[in-house]
Amino acid sequence: MNILLDVTNILALEGGRRMSAKENLANDVKKYIGEHYKEKYSLSKLADSLYVNEYYLARVFKEVTGETPLQCHNKVRCKKAADMLINTDRSVSFIASDVGYQTASHFSRIFKKIYGKNPRAYRNAAVHKSQY
């Protein structure tokens, strides 16, 4: 039986309080991004997977989280990369590719925007900090 639900009327219970449909959608977006962060970002593919209009999705996500889905996607990728930088000795190029970036230079620009340091400096600071 196929039942069409109006996304704006969906309510979910989380942490003892009712989440609005918009919060529920934002959580679904975060979950999708967390599961597909290695893939090339596509707002239309994301919206299609959640059965909503891409412009509505982008507007609601920004309203609820304060960031765009692309910014969230980049943050998830960079968080995974930061963990790898600290916990492995893999090259920056390998890590960039492993988390889904096409080029190490693009990855480095995004990483620096988020963490305030390029990946090598971030790794060196983490290694230096752990030595003391």
mmCIF file of all heavy atoms in Angstrom, residues 4 29 34 44 53 65 70 99:
data_model
loop_
_atom_site.group_PDB
_atom_site.id
_atom_site.type_symbol
_atom_site.label_atom_id
_atom_site.label_comp_id
_atom_site.label_asym_id
_atom_site.label_seq_id
_atom_site.Cartn_x
_atom_site.Cartn_y
_atom_site.Cartn_z
ATOM 1 N N LEU A 4 0.996 8.445 0.426
ATOM 2 C CA LEU A 4 1.733 9.692 0.238
ATOM 3 C C LEU A 4 1.527 10.561 1.470
ATOM 4 O O LEU A 4 0.420 10.795 1.913
ATOM 5 C CB LEU A 4 1.242 10.431 -0.998
ATOM 6 C CG LEU A 4 1.471 9.714 -2.326
ATOM 7 C CD1 LEU A 4 0.885 10.525 -3.463
ATOM 8 C CD2 LEU A 4 2.954 9.512 -2.543
ATOM 9 N N VAL A 29 18.384 14.810 6.049
ATOM 10 C CA VAL A 29 19.460 15.300 5.182
ATOM 11 C C VAL A 29 20.816 14.964 5.797
ATOM 12 O O VAL A 29 21.710 14.443 5.120
ATOM 13 C CB VAL A 29 19.333 16.819 4.924
ATOM 14 C CG1 VAL A 29 20.585 17.369 4.248
ATOM 15 C CG2 VAL A 29 18.104 17.117 4.087
ATOM 16 N N GLY A 34 25.734 11.821 5.878
ATOM 17 C CA GLY A 34 26.638 10.955 6.633
ATOM 18 C C GLY A 34 26.860 9.607 5.976
ATOM 19 O O GLY A 34 27.945 9.038 6.061
ATOM 20 N N SER A 44 20.099 17.885 -6.241
ATOM 21 C CA SER A 44 18.936 17.244 -6.855
ATOM 22 C C SER A 44 18.853 15.763 -6.483
ATOM 23 O O SER A 44 17.766 15.250 -6.209
ATOM 24 C CB SER A 44 18.939 17.424 -8.375
ATOM 25 O OG SER A 44 20.069 16.820 -8.940
ATOM 26 N N ASN A 53 11.239 18.752 -3.084
ATOM 27 C CA ASN A 53 11.779 19.695 -4.040
ATOM 28 C C ASN A 53 13.139 20.197 -3.543
ATOM 29 O O ASN A 53 13.307 20.491 -2.356
ATOM 30 C CB ASN A 53 10.789 20.855 -4.178
ATOM 31 C CG ASN A 53 11.284 21.957 -5.063
ATOM 32 O OD1 ASN A 53 12.120 22.761 -4.634
ATOM 33 N ND2 ASN A 53 10.791 22.001 -6.287
ATOM 34 N N THR A 65 19.353 24.578 10.325
ATOM 35 C CA THR A 65 20.734 24.338 10.768
ATOM 36 C C THR A 65 21.636 25.565 10.694
ATOM 37 O O THR A 65 22.700 25.579 11.313
ATOM 38 C CB THR A 65 21.388 23.229 9.935
ATOM 39 O OG1 THR A 65 21.564 23.688 8.586
ATOM 40 C CG2 THR A 65 20.575 21.947 9.966
ATOM 41 N N LEU A 70 25.431 21.750 1.221
ATOM 42 C CA LEU A 70 26.808 21.624 0.735
ATOM 43 C C LEU A 70 27.810 21.898 1.847
ATOM 44 O O LEU A 70 28.810 21.182 1.990
ATOM 45 C CB LEU A 70 27.066 22.553 -0.450
ATOM 46 C CG LEU A 70 28.494 22.551 -1.011
ATOM 47 C CD1 LEU A 70 28.900 21.144 -1.470
ATOM 48 C CD2 LEU A 70 28.630 23.549 -2.150
ATOM 49 N N VAL A 99 37.908 10.548 1.087
ATOM 50 C CA VAL A 99 36.682 11.179 1.577
ATOM 51 C C VAL A 99 35.853 11.802 0.451
ATOM 52 O O VAL A 99 34.827 12.421 0.716
ATOM 53 C CB VAL A 99 36.948 12.216 2.697
ATOM 54 C CG1 VAL A 99 37.560 11.551 3.909
ATOM 55 C CG2 VAL A 99 37.779 13.377 2.213
#
